[in-house]
Amino acid sequence: ALVQFRDSLAWEVNPNTPDPGQKVDLQKYVPIDMLQIPKCCLTRNDCVIALRHANRLCDLLDDQDHCIKNNKMMIASLLEHLFTHVVPVPKPRNVCLKDSDLHRAKRRQRRALQKEAEKDKIEAERELKREAKNNKKKPDGFIFEDEEKDPVYTDPNIDFFGSEKLEPDFQSGLAFEAELNAENCLWDQPITYELQVELMICLRRLSEHFAAAAFSVQQSRSWDAVCILVPGVICAIGDSIMRRRAIDVPSEVCSHLMGQTRDGKQLGHMGFGLSVGTFATQSETIEVHTPELAIARTRVLDYFLSPQQRPLAKLMTWENEYTLKPGRQLIKYIRTVAREIAMPAMKPHAKLLDAQPMSSSLLKAYPEFHCYRDIAFWWKYFLNPDREAFPNSVESGGDLHPIHRLSAQLNFGWSNEEGGYTVEAMQRTLRCRPCPSQIDPITGKKLSQEEIPTHRFPSTATPSFYMPEPKVRTEDDILYRPNLPSFEDDNGPTLNQRDSELLLSALTVPYQRLPLVLLFFSSDDRIHCLHSSALRGILDSVLFEPGRYLETSVSLVEPLMVPTLHPQLLATGYGMLINELHRSPDTVIRSTLQLVTSALAVDTGTVVEEGESDFNKSTDIILYVTRLGARIESYISFLVDYACNKHESIRNLSMRDVHVTPQMLVKLEEGKMKLQKMLQGRVNDLLDDYLDRLDAQTRKDPENEKLINRNSRLSCDLHAHKLILFRNVKANEMTASAANTFVGSFVFLTTRHTWNKFHRDKGKMVLPETELYELLQVQRRRIISWSNNLHQRDLDQLMQTAVQVSSSVTGSLQSSAEVLDKANRWSRIRGERSIGRWAVGSTRTATSLTCQEGNQAIDEIPKPSLVQHRERSVSATVGLVMDADNLGVEIDMQIGQMTLRAKHLEALETRIANDLDVKSLLGDATMQASLLDKAEHCRRYRIVGLNHEVEFWHTSHGVCPPLGDQWERDYDPAELFPCEQWIVHLFEPVRRSFFDGPQPPAMQFLMPEHPLHPDAEVAVLMGLHQALGGPMKLVYLFRRLRCVHVYECVSHGRQWYWTLHMTTDARYCLREMQPSTEDRSEPHPDWWLRGAGRPYPAGV
C-alpha cells in the first residue's frame, strides 16, 4: 500500500537477505614464543638471529588479532625491548682512512674553502677601500671620545668582571673521544652482500611494524619517548650496515655512502650520511621512565655525531622543510652512483619514486637502498613536532582502530606543484615538518612562526611554561615579577607566593634543579601539593627529562668558571637522574623514601568518595608517588646492575663519564633495598587493602551495575600499580607473592580492562598502558623460568590464584586456603613453541573407601582429608597435556591472557558497547565477549555470562540497491499524463529548489511506466544517485494533504532501508521533525512554511 512511514525495509529489493561477505576462518591459535629472542646479543650473529625472530613474531602477532588482545601494544613493546635492551646500538667511529685517501677525500672541501677565502679577501679589500674613502681626517694625536676603550674590556683573556679567563682543557675531551671511538663494535665485522640485503629488508619490515603499532596506540608523554628513540636506533643500525663494503659483491650504493667506488677507491669527498635533524633537541624534553631508553638515546646521538659522521654530506634532510625536497646532496649522491653503474641520470629525483610496476631502476637493482630510504623517512617522520600530523592525533580524542602493517608501506610520489616528494601511507600524506600555514581554530587566523610547535610535548620544567612574557631566564627574572603562579585547581591555590618562588627559582638552574625540586616536595608537608596535575608534571619533567646532550668531544671536560662561558659543559651524557644517582645518590634516595612515607600517611581509609566516579585526592597522591618511586627504583637498580655487570640484557656496557665507585655502589644498594622493601611491602599491602574495600562494596550491592562498573575500572588502576612495583625483581629474587601479582594482575587486566582509551571516564588508566607491556617484556622470561621449576601444588596455587583474580569483579586477592580448595590440577601444554602455556589437565578426586557394613549410609563413610590428599602432590612432577581446542581453562604467560575452551576473552569493542541498542539491552557495564565468527562485513560475539550473541556489521554497502522493473519512465513535467498534472504543482518547487543542481548535480527522477489512476491520492517517484546511478531517493506526493515526503536509501546491517529525512509539512509525517528556527534573510515560500529536514542529510 502506498502509505507513509518513518523507516522501512526496502522490500522491493530482491534479494534483501544481508550478506556477511566472504567468511574469514578463525585460525587456530599459533603459540607465540617470545623467548626465541635471546636475552642479550654479544655477537653480530646473535643480533641477526634476534632480528629474524622478531620479524616472525611481529607477523604472528599482527595476524592473530582475533585471539591476541592488544597485539599492537605487544608488537610495540617487543620492538622497544629488542632495540633498547637486546640489540646494541652501533658505537661511534673515528675517520678510518689512510692519509692519502683522507687527503683525496678532503679535496672538494679544500676547493670550497679556497673559494670562500678568495671571496673573503675580495670583500676585505672592498671594505678597506670604503673605509679609506669615508675616513674623517683629524689632527695627529687627537682621539674621539667614542674611540677610547678600556683595556680591561678589550682584552679577550679578561672577563667582564676584570678577572682573568680560565679556559677548560678541551684536549682531554678530544682524547677521550678518540679512545671511546676506538672500541670494538660487533657491527664492524665483515659482511656479505646477501646478509646486508637481508638485514636491511628485515629492519624495514620492523620499522613498518613499529609504525603501525605506534599509531594504533593513544599518544602520551611517556609513549612519545619510545616513538622517538626506537626509529632512531633502527636508523643507526641500518646506517651502520649500509656503511660497509661487502666482502663478496660490493654494492655501489653502499660504497658511495662511504665516499668510495665499488672497488674501494676513495673519491674527492668524505661520503654521504643521514642528518641527526631535530633528534637531539626533541629528545631533551621527552620523559624517559626506564633507564634503557636513556642509554639508547645517548648511543644514537653518539653514533650520528661521531667524527666519522660529522664531515659527511647529509642526505634526506626532510625534517628541514615542510616540502619534501630531494636536496642538493641527495641529487649529487644519485648522480655519482648512476655514473658508476651507467644508469641514465636524467631526473635523478625520480629514482626514489615508487610505482606499479616499479619504474626506478635504482630501487629495483638495489633493494637495500629502498629499505634505507624508508627507514630514514620513518625516523624523520617520528620527529615531526606537530602531534596533529600523526594518525593517532591526541586532538581527535576518539577510539583508535588498529593499523595493519601492510598499510604502513611507504609510497613515494612527486608533486610538480610543490617541487618535492609526496609520501603516503596509512591512507594519509606524511610530512616531517609542521605545516607553516596552520590556522588557529579559535581566531581563524594564520599562526605566526613562533606559534608553530617545536616540541610535541614541551618541557613543563621551565618557569616560562607557567608565566607570561618576557621569558624567564634567571632567578632575578622571578624575583622582580609582581605575581607568581599559584597552580590553582578546583580546590583553589595550591602554592603560596613564597613556595612558588622557591620552586620556580629552582627550575632556572637545569643542572642543579633535580635535588632542589625533590627536596621541595618531600619537605614541609608539601605532599598534599601533588594532587595538582601541573605540579606533578613539573616533578616528572625534572626527574625523567634527559636534558641537554653532552657530546663525546667535551666529556670529562670540567668548567673552571662559574658561571661558565661554555654552557655545553653543563649537560649530561645519560640524563639528569642517572647523573645525580651515580655522583650523589643520597638526596634522591632520601627524598624518594620521604615522599613514599608521606604519601602513605595521607591515606584516609577510603578509596573513592561516595557518588564519585574516580579516586579521591589522597588515593590519587598515593598512586602517583607509587609510580614515581617505582620508576626511580628502576634507575637505581640499573646502576647497581651496571656497576656489577649483571644486567640481564645489556652486557659489557661502557657508559662514558659514569663511574660508580664502591662507596656509591653501597649507597645505591642500600637505597634500592629500602625502596623495594617499602614499595613491595607497605605500598603493596595498601593496594591489596584498596582492592578488598572495592570488592566489599560490590558484594554488598551486587545489583548496582554502575557501582560494579566503577569499581572494576578503578581496580584495573590498582592492579596496574601493583605490577610496576615488581618490575625489577630478578629471577633469583622471585617469590610466590611477586609471581601471583604478575600472573593474576595481568590476566585480570587483559580480561577486565578496556584498553587504549583517550578519556578517563571511558576507562583510560592513570598509568600509561604501554608501560605494562614493557614490564611484561622484562619479566616474561623470569616468571616462565620460575614457574617451570614449580612442583604440582605450588603451580596449582599460582594458577588458581590467577583464575580467582580474573573471575572477580575487582580482582581482590583472598585467602590462599580458599584457592587450594579448588580441585583443578594444572599441566604444561605440550609443544616446542608452547613454553609458558598452562592448562587444567585434570581434577583431583578423593579416594573412594569400601563400606564394611552393608547398611552404612554413604554420607557416614569417613572421607579422606583434602589436605592429606594434597600433601602427596607437593613434590609431584607437573604433567603434560596436548594442545587441543577442548582445553577447559588455559593461561598463556607469553601474552598474559586466559582463555576458556580456546575462546579468547576481551572487553566488548567500544563501538559495539556504546551502541544505543546494546546499552539499552545490556546496560553500561563493561562486558566480556569472545569472538565466534568473522566475515568480510560482519563479526559475531558471544557475551560472557549472558545468553546473548551480538552481530556487528562494520561495513555498509558501497553501491546502490538494484533498480526495480516498474521504474521505466523519466519524470518530465511536460510529458505527464493529464491525470498526473497535479504532481507538477506539488513536486516542481521541491525539485527546482533542492535537486536541480548545480551542486550537488541535478538528480534524475523516474516514475512507473503506467499512468496513475485518475482518482489516485498518492504518487511515488524514484530519484537516482548522481554518481552511482542506482536508487537513492523515494519521493511520496500526497494529493489531498498537499504534502511531499522525501526518503533516502541507507545501508544498515547490510540491508537497505528507506528513511524519512525531509517533508514539506511536518504535521503529516510520522517522524519527529520540526521546521527550522535558524535565522534567515527572507521569508520561506508558501510551500515550505511548515517544511522540515534537509535534502542531503548527514548520517542517514
Side-chain angles (χ1 to χ4, degrees):
L2 297 178
V3 297
Q4 62 164 319
F5 48 87
R6 180 188 183 279
D7 294 297
S8 173
L9 275 171
W11 296 107
E12 65 275 11
V13 177
N14 188 26
N16 197 46
T17 303
D19 179 16
Q22 178 67 39
K23 185 176 181 180
V24 179
D25 292 332
L26 297 179
Q27 300 290 338
K28 181 182 177 182
Y29 172 60
V30 177
I32 306 293
D33 184 11
M34 299 283 191
L35 304 189
Q36 291 178 333
I37 297 179
K39 288 196 295 186
C40 63
C41 294
L42 301 179
T43 64
R44 192 184 65 189
N45 187 52
D46 294 340
C47 297
V48 173
I49 293 174
L51 293 174
R52 288 170 178 166
H53 282 310
N55 184 29
R56 294 290 182 262
L57 289 172
C58 288
D59 289 338
L60 274 177
L61 289 168
D62 205 33
D63 293 336
Q64 299 191 91
D65 57 344
H66 64 284
C67 54
I68 299 179
K69 189 173 183 180
N70 303 322
N71 60 330
K72 291 300 180 181
M73 287 190 187
M74 201 168 295
I75 291 173
S77 61
L78 167 64
L79 296 180
E80 175 192 354
H81 185 81
L82 176 71
F83 289 111
T84 59
H85 288 68
V86 180
V87 178
V89 183
K91 295 183 178 180
R93 302 286 83 185
N94 289 314
V95 178
C96 301
L97 291 177
K98 300 178 181 179
D99 293 341
S100 57
D101 291 340
L102 184 61
H103 180 80
R104 186 181 297 109
K106 292 185 176 181
R107 179 176 59 194
R108 187 172 297 174
Q109 182 179 355
R110 289 195 302 272
R111 290 177 179 175
L113 291 175
Q114 184 178 359
K115 290 181 179 180
E116 191 68 26
E118 292 176 356
K119 291 181 180 179
D120 293 342
K121 183 178 179 181
I122 295 173
E123 185 63 29
E125 291 177 353
R126 292 176 179 174
E127 185 64 26
L128 288 175
K129 291 180 180 180
R130 283 195 294 267
E131 290 181 359
K133 183 177 180 180
N134 298 328
N135 188 23
K136 299 178 180 179
K137 294 186 178 181
K138 54 187 176 180
D140 294 340
F142 181 82
I143 299 177
F144 289 109
E145 290 184 2
D146 58 353
E147 292 181 356
E148 293 185 9
K149 297 184 182 291
D150 191 335
V152 172
Y153 295 101
T154 57
D155 190 345
N157 295 318
I158 299 178
D159 67 2
F160 180 79
F161 300 100
S163 59
E164 185 177 356
K165 290 183 179 179
L166 298 176
E167 284 294 324
D169 181 16
F170 288 101
Q171 293 301 319
S172 61
L174 296 175
F176 173 78
E177 181 184 43
E179 180 182 353
L180 178 69
N181 296 343
E183 294 180 358
N184 294 328
C185 178
L186 56 85
W187 295 106
D188 289 342
Q189 299 177 22
I191 191 171
T192 61
Y193 181 64
E194 177 187 12
L195 182 59
Q196 204 171 27
V197 173
E198 180 196 358
L199 288 178
M200 292 303 297
I201 293 176
C202 187
L203 288 175
R204 181 175 66 170
R205 290 175 179 169
L206 294 178
S207 295
E208 293 169 352
H209 271 298
F210 182 79
F215 295 135
S216 300
V217 178
Q218 295 282 0
Q219 292 183 7
S220 67
R221 195 178 185 95
S222 62
W223 180 237
D224 188 63
V226 180
C227 293
I228 287 179
L229 295 174
V230 171
V233 175
I234 296 176
C235 212
I237 295 174
D239 185 80
S240 177
I241 294 172
M242 291 288 289
R243 209 164 292 284
R244 306 291 301 169
R245 288 183 67 251
I247 58 177
D248 50 356
V249 183
S251 168
E252 286 81 1
V253 296
C254 297
S255 300
H256 281 275
L257 283 177
M258 305 163 59
Q260 299 175 357
T261 64
R262 181 180 182 277
D263 299 326
K265 180 181 178 181
Q266 185 64 43
L267 300 174
H269 56 86
M270 295 293 294
F272 301 90
L274 296 176
S275 61
V276 74
T278 58
F279 179 78
T281 55
Q282 280 275 17
S283 60
E284 286 180 9
T285 62
I286 58 177
E287 282 189 10
V288 182
H289 291 164
T290 58
E292 291 81 6
L293 285 174
I295 305 303
R297 177 229 181 198
T298 300
R299 302 193 76 174
V300 170
L301 286 169
D302 287 348
Y303 175 81
F304 282 108
L305 296 179
S306 64
Q308 182 194 56
Q309 293 278 337
R310 286 198 289 262
L312 301 180
K314 303 305 179 183
L315 302 173
M316 307 177 190
T317 56
W318 293 314
E319 71 278 8
N320 294 336
E321 294 185 56
Y322 180 71
T323 301
L324 303 175
K325 296 182 179 180
R328 181 178 178 181
Q329 300 301 333
L330 180 60
I331 297 298
K332 184 185 298 184
Y333 168 76
I334 295 175
R335 283 175 172 166
T336 57
V337 174
R339 189 179 302 115
E340 181 165 4
I341 63 176
M343 179 181 68
M346 189 168 54
K347 295 184 179 181
H349 66 271
K351 301 302 179 184
L352 261 66
L353 302 183
D354 295 305
Q356 288 294 337
M358 185 174 289
S359 60
S360 171
S361 55
L362 181 66
L363 300 182
K364 183 69 174 179
Y366 300 95
E368 67 274 19
F369 185 70
H370 195 175
C371 301
Y372 188 61
R373 179 205 69 178
D374 289 356
I375 292 171
F377 182 86
W378 276 124
W379 187 32
K380 302 301 177 70
Y381 177 61
F382 273 106
L383 290 176
N384 190 329
D386 187 4
R387 281 187 280 174
E388 296 185 11
F390 300 110
N392 61 343
S393 171
V394 73
E395 304 299 332
S396 62
D399 293 329
L400 297 178
H401 302 298
I403 300 175
H404 197 272
R405 193 264 295 181
L406 296 180
S407 300
Q409 298 179 91
L410 296 178
N411 182 31
F412 272 66
W414 181 260
S415 172
N416 291 321
E417 182 180 354
E418 295 183 359
Y421 296 110
T422 58
V423 182
E424 295 182 351
M426 300 173 289
Q427 299 179 352
R428 62 191 296 131
T429 301
L430 311 183
R431 302 281 185 172
C432 302
R433 287 286 298 171
C435 178
S437 57
Q438 294 187 37
I439 304 298
D440 190 322
I442 299 177
T443 63
K445 297 181 180 179
K446 181 180 177 181
L447 294 178
S448 63
Q449 193 64 31
E450 294 76 16
E451 295 175 314
I452 293 178
T454 57
H455 290 82
R456 289 203 287 272
F457 292 92
S459 175
T460 59
T462 58
S464 299
F465 190 84
Y466 306 96
M467 302 174 69
E469 294 290 342
K471 190 175 182 179
V472 176
R473 300 184 183 277
T474 64
E475 186 179 1
D476 293 338
D477 296 337
I478 294 176
L479 295 176
Y480 290 103
R481 286 292 180 100
N483 295 304
L484 298 177
S486 59
F487 300 94
E488 187 173 353
D489 58 11
D490 296 338
N491 300 306
T494 304
L495 294 181
N496 56 39
Q497 291 294 292
R498 175 182 174 275
D499 286 349
S500 182
E501 178 185 329
L502 285 175
L503 177 60
L504 296 177
S505 298
L507 298 182
T508 60
V509 282
Y511 195 76
Q512 300 175 341
R513 69 189 183 188
L514 193 150
L516 297 176
V517 174
L518 258 181
L519 281 171
F520 174 84
F521 284 107
S522 62
S523 60
D524 295 338
D525 198 28
R526 295 193 183 95
I527 187 68
H528 297 280
C529 300
L530 290 178
H531 70 79
S532 168
S533 58
L535 293 177
R536 291 182 193 176
I538 289 178
L539 185 53
D540 283 336
S541 295
V542 167
L543 284 171
F544 303 114
E545 285 182 4
R548 189 169 183 175
Y549 162 74
L550 181 69
E551 297 185 13
T552 57
S553 59
V554 294
S555 294
L556 304 182
V557 179
E558 299 178 356
L560 302 179
M561 295 180 61
V562 179
T564 180
L565 300 177
H566 304 280
Q568 70 271 22
L569 300 181
L570 299 180
T572 62
Y574 300 95
M576 294 295 180
L577 186 53
I578 289 180
N579 183 67
E580 198 70 28
L581 285 174
H582 87 87
R583 296 184 188 276
S584 179
D586 295 326
T587 302
V588 176
I589 294 174
R590 185 172 57 251
S591 299
T592 305
L593 290 172
Q594 182 60 42
L595 275 174
V596 178
T597 304
S598 301
L600 292 172
V602 303
D603 177 31
T604 61
T606 58
V607 185
V608 56
E609 302 299 336
E610 187 176 355
E612 297 295 328
S613 61
D614 212 339
F615 296 113
N616 56 32
K617 289 200 300 184
S618 61
T619 308
D620 219 12
I621 293 173
I622 292 172
L623 294 181
Y624 170 73
V625 175
T626 300
R627 299 193 297 273
L628 189 77
R631 290 161 180 168
I632 293 177
E633 192 258 329
S634 294
Y635 276 83
I636 298 175
S637 298
F638 175 82
L639 283 176
V640 171
D641 292 343
Y642 165 72
C644 303
N645 196 23
K646 292 182 178 179
H647 195 281
E648 190 174 65
S649 301
I650 304 176
R651 302 285 181 85
N652 303 322
L653 174 65
S654 176
M655 294 174 63
R656 56 184 176 90
D657 203 18
V658 176
H659 305 286
V660 182
T661 62
Q663 295 81 6
M664 293 300 154
L665 179 60
V666 172
K667 293 182 180 180
L668 289 172
E669 288 177 335
E670 292 178 353
K672 171 189 173 183
M673 182 182 64
K674 292 179 181 178
L675 193 54
Q676 281 187 345
K677 183 178 180 181
M678 183 170 289
L679 292 175
Q680 299 173 13
R682 295 178 60 189
V683 174
N684 186 47
D685 292 342
L686 181 60
L687 296 179
D688 285 336
D689 182 59
Y690 283 168
L691 289 171
D692 291 339
R693 295 179 191 178
L694 295 176
D695 187 64
Q697 289 179 359
T698 56
R699 284 188 280 109
K700 185 178 180 181
D701 191 3
E703 302 299 327
N704 191 338
E705 290 189 4
K706 185 176 180 181
L707 174 68
I708 293 174
N709 190 36
R710 184 201 68 179
N711 287 1
S712 177
R713 176 170 52 84
L714 298 182
S715 297
C716 292
D717 283 296
L718 297 176
H719 278 287
H721 284 78
K722 283 174 61 66
L723 282 169
I724 64 172
L725 298 178
F726 297 91
R727 179 188 183 272
N728 302 298
V729 174
K730 301 296 187 293
N732 58 347
E733 301 171 350
M734 189 67 66
T735 61
S737 174
N740 285 334
T741 300
F742 283 131
V743 182
S745 294
F746 215 97
V747 170
F748 177 84
L749 289 173
T750 54
T751 306
R752 294 283 180 176
H753 179 55
T754 52
W755 295 79
N756 207 23
K757 299 300 177 184
F758 178 73
H759 294 290
R760 176 70 178 150
D761 57 353
K762 297 296 185 182
K764 178 184 178 181
M765 281 187 184
V766 294
L767 175 74
E769 297 167 351
T770 51
E771 293 188 18
L772 297 176
Y773 279 96
E774 188 274 337
L775 179 147
L776 179 61
Q777 284 293 139
V778 173
Q779 288 292 344
R780 180 184 288 110
R781 189 183 302 273
R782 302 170 188 173
I783 187 64
I784 290 177
S785 300
W786 185 83
S787 302
N788 284 334
N789 295 325
L790 293 178
H791 293 295
Q792 186 66 60
R793 189 190 68 169
D794 297 329
L795 178 67
D796 293 343
Q797 179 177 348
L798 173 65
M799 296 301 167
Q800 284 301 129
T801 302
V803 172
Q804 178 190 357
V805 170
S806 61
S807 59
S808 170
V809 174
T810 63
S812 175
L813 292 172
Q814 299 178 5
S815 169
S816 59
E818 182 180 347
V819 175
L820 287 178
D821 286 341
K822 302 296 181 182
N824 292 333
R825 182 183 294 270
W826 289 76
S827 303
R828 297 188 185 93
I829 297 180
R830 190 186 303 274
E832 294 182 359
R833 298 172 62 177
S834 294
I835 301 174
R837 296 178 65 203
W838 312 86
V840 175
S842 61
T843 58
R844 298 189 184 96
T845 56
T847 305
S848 59
L849 300 180
T850 304
C851 182
Q852 300 297 330
E853 299 181 10
N855 59 353
Q856 187 175 6
I858 296 178
D859 294 338
E860 297 177 357
I861 298 177
K863 298 180 180 179
S865 171
L866 189 60
V867 176
Q868 293 176 353
H869 187 84
R870 190 183 305 116
E871 290 295 331
R872 290 197 295 270
S873 65
V874 168
S875 58
T877 304
V878 178
L880 296 175
V881 295
M882 295 297 297
D883 186 5
D885 292 337
N886 60 351
L887 293 176
V889 182
E890 174 194 338
I891 291 180
D892 190 343
M893 292 185 183
Q894 295 275 1
I895 59 178
Q897 285 185 203
M898 180 180 72
T899 60
L900 301 174
R901 298 194 180 277
K903 300 299 181 183
H904 296 258
L905 303 182
E906 61 180 351
L908 189 62
E909 190 176 342
T910 304
R911 287 187 294 172
I912 307 174
N914 289 339
D915 185 83
L916 294 178
D917 294 334
V918 175
K919 293 176 72 172
S920 63
L921 289 173
L922 305 178
D924 294 331
T926 301
M927 291 167 283
Q928 304 301 312
S930 62
L931 182 63
L932 299 179
D933 292 310
K934 184 178 180 181
E936 182 182 1
H937 308 300
C938 177
R939 294 197 293 268
R940 187 163 63 93
Y941 296 88
R942 180 183 296 278
I943 307 300
V944 178
L946 300 174
N947 190 23
H948 291 289
E949 292 182 2
V950 176
E951 289 185 357
F952 176 49
W953 297 81
H954 49 87
T955 59
S956 59
H957 288 99
V959 297
C960 295
L963 186 64
D965 296 335
Q966 71 271 32
W967 308 103
E968 296 289 343
R969 179 164 49 118
D970 285 339
Y971 167 77
D972 188 346
E975 297 182 359
L976 293 179
F977 292 97
C979 61
E980 298 173 339
Q981 290 300 319
W982 62 271
I983 295 178
V984 178
H985 304 291
L986 280 180
F987 184 56
E988 276 304 290
V990 176
R991 187 186 70 82
R992 291 176 180 176
S993 299
F994 302 122
F995 304 108
D996 199 27
Q999 288 297 330
M1003 179 175 289
Q1004 180 185 4
F1005 288 92
L1006 301 178
M1007 298 181 65
E1009 180 180 3
H1010 301 289
L1012 293 177
H1013 191 277
D1015 298 330
E1017 292 289 337
V1018 180
V1020 184
L1021 280 70
M1022 175 72 71
L1024 302 184
H1025 195 284
Q1026 292 93 327
L1028 302 178
M1032 181 185 181
K1033 301 289 184 183
L1034 196 63
V1035 182
Y1036 273 65
L1037 301 106
F1038 297 92
R1039 185 175 186 177
R1040 183 175 300 177
L1041 299 177
R1042 309 290 296 173
C1043 176
V1044 178
H1045 289 344
V1046 181
Y1047 298 80
E1048 181 164 320
C1049 187
V1050 296
S1051 175
H1052 181 77
R1054 300 294 292 182
Q1055 290 183 320
W1056 283 291
Y1057 286 81
W1058 294 111
T1059 181
L1060 177 64
H1061 67 88
M1062 192 178 76
T1063 179
T1064 59
D1065 198 329
R1067 297 177 299 173
Y1068 303 122
C1069 64
L1070 298 182
R1071 183 170 189 163
E1072 186 178 351
M1073 304 177 72
Q1074 293 296 328
S1076 174
T1077 58
E1078 298 178 357
D1079 295 338
R1080 54 184 183 270
S1081 57
E1082 57 185 20
H1084 287 316
D1086 293 340
W1087 58 270
W1088 190 252
L1089 289 177
R1090 297 182 179 87
R1094 296 181 179 180
Y1096 294 97
V1100 298

